[in-house]
Amino acid sequence: MSVSIEQRFPRPSVMGVVNVTPDSFSDGGVNYAPEDAVATARRMHAEGAAIVDVGGESTRPGSEGVSVDEELRRVEPVLEAVGGDVPVSIDTAKAAVARRALELGAELVNDVTALRGDPKLVGVVAEHDAYLCLMHMRGEPRTMQVDPKYDDVVSEVAAFLYERLRFAVGEGVTEDRICLDPGIGFGKTVEHNFELLSRLDVIASLGRPVLVGVSRKSSLGRILGDPEAKTGPLSASLAAAVTAYERGATILRVHDVKEHVEALTVAAAVAR
Ligand code: HH2
């Protein structure tokens, strides 16, 4: 019997971010060398991360993609070194990268394209019975922040996630392996992002666990008064994570694991 994603990740669980990239918006380059990424992954696990999300392609606004070979070159040595002792998720939209990661012990595939990027990815997830995160993104990273518009961002994101959930299940992924993510910062203004966080219960009412990645995102810096901010500080990230948890988030994707585990432990004690 496989373990459902709800059982595997009790509310709240922390996902640590390890970007094996030279250009991520949030931690650009600090984990680009495999030995640094491995050390970060081990530290995050020791600090209480339920899983560590390893990615080899930046999706920051304006970024271009990287090739399969380059993405594999970045993530493979990290997965080889930690696979087995640190629970790992692979942040990729590419079937070949996901397949290799799952062979090396990854448990979850985190696809920011919600299975629209590579038609072969859904089959890889189904075949390995992996956990899957489906995220909402409007457009693609290169252009997504160019004047995003919605009539009602929350109902449009919810409808999209519901459609992608039905697609994944129709293609053979077990429903209880799937979580959903509103995609904070992916084709959204500051107002859209805060409305999604504020009405996260609508996304949670789709019946699947909700993952939220708001850590260090530019909307946090902008709400604090800098209209040009590219990132947001830790204090703001913690407030956003705790309030997302209170509105139904299960998994919080974060860069500062220790601080988020501490904040969420307190929030959970209050919620109980
Ligand atoms: N955000 C980023 C990347 N992957 N995956 C999910 N499920 N949800 C998110 O909100 C999310 C994500 C962007 O953050 P980061 O990894 O720090 O930066 P970059 O894409 O520049 O590597």
Side-chain angles (χ1 to χ4, degrees), residues 17 19 21 23-27 53 57-60 91 110 112 133 135 181 183-184 186 211-215 217 253 255:
V17 180
N19 290 315
T21 54
D23 56 347
S24 288
F25 85 96
S26 52
D27 54 6
D53 193 34
E57 176 177 68
S58 173
T59 49
R60 75 179 192 290
D91 187 348
N110 174 24
V112 298
C133 179
M135 195 197 80
D181 181 341
I184 300 298
F186 287 85
L211 188 153
V212 170
V214 61
S215 171
K217 285 194 175 161
R253 182 181 183 277
H255 303 83

Side-chain angles (χ1 to χ4, degrees), residues 41-57:
R42 291 194 193 289
R43 174 177 49 76
M44 288 177 165
H45 182 49
E47 289 173 350
I51 196 157
V52 172
D53 193 34
V54 176
E57 176 177 68

Side-chain angles (χ1 to χ4, degrees), residues 122-123 126 166-173:
V122 67
R166 295 329 320 159
F167 171 80
V169 171
E171 294 292 315
V173 181

Side-chain angles (χ1 to χ4, degrees), residues 31-101:
N31 291 311
Y32 189 40
E35 57 277 20
D36 295 332
V38 169
T40 301
R42 291 194 193 289
R43 174 177 49 76
M44 288 177 165
H45 182 49
E47 289 173 350
I51 196 157
V52 172
D53 193 34
V54 176
E57 176 177 68
S58 173
T59 49
R60 75 179 192 290
S63 63
E64 303 281 347
V66 299
S67 68
V68 173
D69 287 350
E70 176 60 15
E71 205 176 316
L72 277 172
R73 188 191 67 73
R74 294 178 182 181
V75 300
E76 241 181 335
V78 180
L79 296 169
E80 276 164 0
V82 300
D85 14 302
V86 176
V88 165
S89 112
I90 180 74
D91 187 348
T92 191
K94 297 187 182 74
V97 175
R99 180 185 298 282
R100 186 72 190 121

Side-chain angles (χ1 to χ4, degrees), residues 157-210:
V157 167
F160 171 89
L161 291 174
Y162 182 73
E163 188 278 321
R164 296 323 291 162
L165 173 64
R166 295 329 320 159
F167 171 80
V169 171
E171 294 292 315
V173 181
T174 310
E175 180 155 351
D176 78 4
R177 315 285 291 171
I178 302 174
C179 67
L180 305 176
D181 181 341
I184 300 298
F186 287 85
K188 286 136 193 142
T189 62
V190 175
E191 291 70 29
H192 293 143
N193 290 323
F194 278 93
E195 182 155 10
L196 281 163
L197 290 172
S198 158
R199 293 170 58 205
L200 205 61
D201 58 303
V202 175
I203 310 295
S205 72
L206 294 172
R208 302 308 312 140
V210 175

